[in-house]
Amino acid sequence: MKKINLLALLPLFLYILLSIALLTQALNHTGGQPGYPVDDAFIHMAIARHFVQDGRWSVDLSPFTSATSSPLWTLLLAAAFHLFGVRDWAALLLSLLSGAAALLLAQRLLAKSGRRMIRLTLVVLILIFTPLPVLGLTGMEHALHSLLTVAVLWTGSLVLAENSPSSSLRWGLPVLCALLPVTRYEGLFLLFWLIAGLLFQRRWRDALAAGLASASLMTVYGLISVANGWAFFPNSVLVKSQINLFSVTGLTQFLTQGIYNLLDTPALLGLIIAVWLAYALAESGGLTSPPLRWRVALFSGMFALHLQLARTGWFFRYEAYLIFAGALILMELTALLLKRLESERRLRFTPAVAAALGVALLLLLPIAYRAGNALSAYPLAVRNIHEQQVQMARFVSRFYNGQTIVANDIGAISYYADIELVDVVGLANLETGRWWREGSWSTAKVDRLAREQAASLAILYPEWFDLYPQPPEWVEVGRWRIADNIVCTSDTVAFYALSPAQADEIAQNLRAFSSELPKTVQQQLNTSSAP
């Protein structure tokens, strides 16, 4: 029997240890209730809950809403709910397991990268740089997306480097291509360059297989969405990516978005320069291989398309797969360079080596700084969501279950309560989503839609009405304010009556609920709102 190498389990042990430490801090902020650092996690949970309990793929009580940018993740979560019941911790467990799988894959891919301690150090650096514990604790699809991205990147680079790939590679790649875009639609960035590479090599059959596979599951979901009256792509993708290219402002925004994203996320700038520099050094020393060259090319293309067409940030999530994949390539290149240094002892302490090491450290500082911020921010972010969105959900569930609510954060209130939504952001409403895409959204239209659906209450950030006029009949009844906000759009949410006749009831409900609020949440009632 093969002996278990306990030292090889060190990265996984560190992952589990850091995850437990962060989770423990978060649970101290939530009174032991499993929590999440972004409200979006609850959107998946709400759809999965309704799908399991009522057979409706919907955030709210509507028959269908295409509001998830990761259909596969939502389906996996629904499967977990079906097997174990609707549990708050299910999404947490799934994402933690995905993070562990991503770490083990990275360790396997670096299995031949030099001596054992060097390999372990490189894997631990990937763990910290990503950082995988935070990604695994989001309760969302980002750890799974990182895992599948690396799987496609490595498998695809081997297929591109071999004229006659093995049957396992030839069949395995289409399966991975099918799963990647329905995990996150940004997966199309990598698949575009993979298929382009196969076409460049005139490998028509492989390109066709990869292309059909990439479109397969995504098309199935898109057609289901269209059959239910929605667009092919989810509103969560369409609304966030909407830019009017026929206006000067929109065109300028599109042309400069890549540069803005790069400058706004120094970790990505440092990472791509570090990868290119390490690759140039390895290439000049004759250390690279065809698969490695393809990996660097595919990663660079995926990196460029993401910067130009997608977003970064929002609690370290959107660019996480780039950090994970880029860090893994960088560690692979680093291992090659370290092998060369070991074989040529005269290079160890030369000024050139010292200068290269200094440059590498400078380039990696932003990545390390980002990782430190993510690790320190996680517990506080969970507290923010618990004190704002989760309390909103408890309030709505107690007083407005089965009714229509106007809201801008729809996750927790839809997961913990059975309601219909007027989603002002447009993720869960056909009408509001279409208005945003057309550029015709207005508070007057939202007010009209809310009245048509007999909405009982609006819970919005008051900053909406710094940008847009408040509907004349709406009355602000009260506000909640949280402290030390780092993740919510605003530290304050306001409760609005859609007519003066509703104001007194809302005020009474807020007073009745005030004793259940965490002590760190400040409630302020507008005494003049009652009729």
Side-chain angles (χ1 to χ4, degrees):
M1 182 180 293
K2 188 176 180 179
K3 293 183 179 179
I4 298 176
N5 186 349
L6 294 180
L7 190 60
L9 297 176
L10 177 63
L12 183 60
F13 175 75
L14 183 60
Y15 171 78
I16 295 172
L17 188 66
L18 284 172
S19 298
I20 291 175
L22 291 171
L23 184 58
T24 301
Q25 293 181 57
L27 291 175
N28 289 336
H29 290 315
T30 63
Q33 179 181 354
Y36 297 94
V38 286
D39 185 63
D40 291 4
F42 292 104
I43 295 178
H44 295 287
M45 295 165 69
I47 296 174
R49 177 176 75 86
H50 285 299
F51 190 59
V52 169
Q53 293 179 342
D54 311 314
R56 292 180 290 103
W57 188 268
S58 178
V59 175
D60 62 357
L61 294 177
S62 304
F64 182 91
T65 57
S66 184
T68 170
S69 54
S70 180
L72 177 61
W73 182 257
T74 309
L75 192 61
L76 289 173
L77 192 53
F81 283 172
H82 177 73
L83 291 173
F84 306 109
V86 177
R87 300 286 185 266
D88 290 358
W89 48 260
L92 196 63
L93 181 60
L94 276 177
S95 59
L96 281 170
L97 290 174
S98 299
L103 179 64
L104 293 174
L105 176 61
Q107 190 165 355
R108 177 166 184 171
L109 294 176
L110 292 177
K112 298 180 181 179
S113 300
R115 291 183 296 180
R116 180 186 301 170
M117 288 309 300
I118 290 178
R119 296 198 309 267
L120 291 176
T121 301
L122 297 178
V123 174
V124 168
L125 286 175
I126 294 170
L127 162 72
I128 299 299
F129 284 164
T130 303
L132 274 176
V134 172
L135 212 58
L137 288 166
T138 61
M140 297 187 68
E141 72 278 3
H142 302 284
L144 179 62
H145 181 215
S146 299
L147 167 69
L148 289 174
T149 296
V150 164
V152 172
L153 187 58
W154 253 253
T155 306
S157 66
L158 291 173
V159 170
L160 285 164
E162 299 177 15
N163 290 326
S164 299
S166 65
S167 59
S168 60
L169 287 177
R170 189 179 293 275
W171 289 104
L173 183 59
V175 173
L176 294 171
C177 289
L179 295 175
L180 184 58
V182 289
T183 303
R184 276 197 72 83
Y185 286 84
E186 289 93 331
L188 293 171
F189 301 152
L190 172 57
L191 296 173
F192 171 83
W193 291 112
L194 171 63
I195 296 168
L198 291 169
L199 291 173
F200 177 76
Q201 294 180 336
R202 298 179 181 272
R203 294 166 61 176
W204 315 118
R205 183 181 300 177
D206 290 335
L208 180 62
L212 290 176
S214 300
S216 60
L217 296 180
M218 182 180 67
T219 300
V220 169
Y221 181 77
L223 292 178
I224 292 173
S225 181
V226 170
N228 282 275
W230 289 66
F232 184 87
F233 290 104
N235 272 19
S236 53
V237 173
L238 295 175
V239 171
K240 294 177 182 178
S241 60
Q242 187 63 29
I243 296 178
N244 182 10
L245 296 178
F246 297 100
S247 69
V248 175
T249 302
L251 184 60
T252 302
Q253 180 183 349
F254 175 76
L255 294 175
T256 59
Q257 182 165 294
I259 297 173
Y260 174 81
N261 279 335
L262 196 59
L263 296 178
D264 193 51
T265 315
L268 289 178
L269 179 60
L271 177 63
I272 194 64
I273 294 175
V275 167
W276 286 342
L277 179 59
Y279 174 74
L281 291 172
E283 181 71 22
S284 64
L287 304 177
T288 59
S289 62
L292 178 55
R293 295 188 191 103
W294 275 111
R295 280 196 283 279
V296 173
L298 291 172
F299 172 74
S300 300
M302 172 179 69
F303 188 96
L305 283 181
H306 181 99
L307 289 179
Q308 186 60 41
L309 301 176
R311 295 185 178 186
T312 61
W314 205 250
F315 202 73
F316 315 100
R317 297 181 295 134
Y318 293 152
E319 75 278 7
Y321 77 107
L322 295 176
I323 297 288
F324 180 69
L328 184 51
I329 291 175
L330 180 60
M331 295 307 136
E332 182 184 17
L333 290 165
T334 301
L336 292 174
L337 295 172
L338 288 175
K339 278 186 179 180
R340 172 57 61 88
L341 287 176
E342 283 185 329
S343 64
E344 300 184 22
R345 295 179 179 274
R346 60 188 176 83
L347 294 177
R348 284 187 175 181
F349 302 108
T350 63
V353 172
L357 184 60
V359 171
L361 290 175
L362 286 175
L363 291 174
L364 294 180
L365 276 178
I367 305 175
Y369 181 76
R370 174 186 177 276
N373 276 348
L375 290 166
S376 63
Y378 171 79
L380 183 55
V382 172
R383 188 187 108 187
N384 291 160
I385 298 299
H386 177 76
E387 292 177 346
Q388 189 175 96
Q389 279 77 13
V390 173
Q391 301 312 311
M392 288 160 47
R394 292 177 61 237
F395 177 78
V396 169
S397 177
R398 178 171 169 182
F399 296 106
Y400 297 95
N401 211 50
Q403 302 182 44
T404 300
I405 305 297
V406 182
N408 48 220
D409 278 338
I410 63 172
I413 62 173
S414 300
Y415 173 67
Y416 287 111
D418 288 317
I419 56 174
E420 292 196 19
L421 283 166
V422 174
D423 176 14
V424 298
V425 178
L427 305 185
N429 280 119
L430 273 172
E431 296 89 344
T432 55
R434 184 178 67 252
W435 297 336
W436 279 115
R437 296 198 302 273
E438 295 172 350
S440 63
W441 186 95
S442 69
T443 52
K445 287 186 174 182
V446 171
D447 178 45
R448 184 172 67 250
L449 180 63
R451 294 184 186 283
E452 289 173 356
Q453 299 189 14
S456 303
L457 171 72
I459 310 177
L460 303 172
Y461 295 120
E463 285 83 358
W464 278 102
F465 301 128
D466 294 335
L467 300 173
Y468 306 97
Q470 180 174 324
E473 292 289 312
W474 288 28
V475 178
E476 182 181 325
V477 181
R479 294 186 175 197
W480 289 347
R481 183 178 181 183
I482 63 173
D484 305 317
N485 175 44
I486 62 169
V487 73
C488 299
T489 302
S490 172
D491 62 0
T492 302
V493 290
F495 297 79
Y496 296 91
L498 275 62
S499 67
Q502 295 176 332
D504 187 54
E505 179 185 355
I506 296 172
Q508 290 180 20
N509 292 339
L510 287 170
R511 290 190 190 97
F513 192 76
S514 61
S515 61
E516 301 180 27
L517 286 172
K519 294 180 180 179
T520 48
V521 179
Q522 297 179 359
Q523 176 169 282
Q524 176 185 347
L525 292 180
N526 183 1
T527 56
S528 64
S529 63

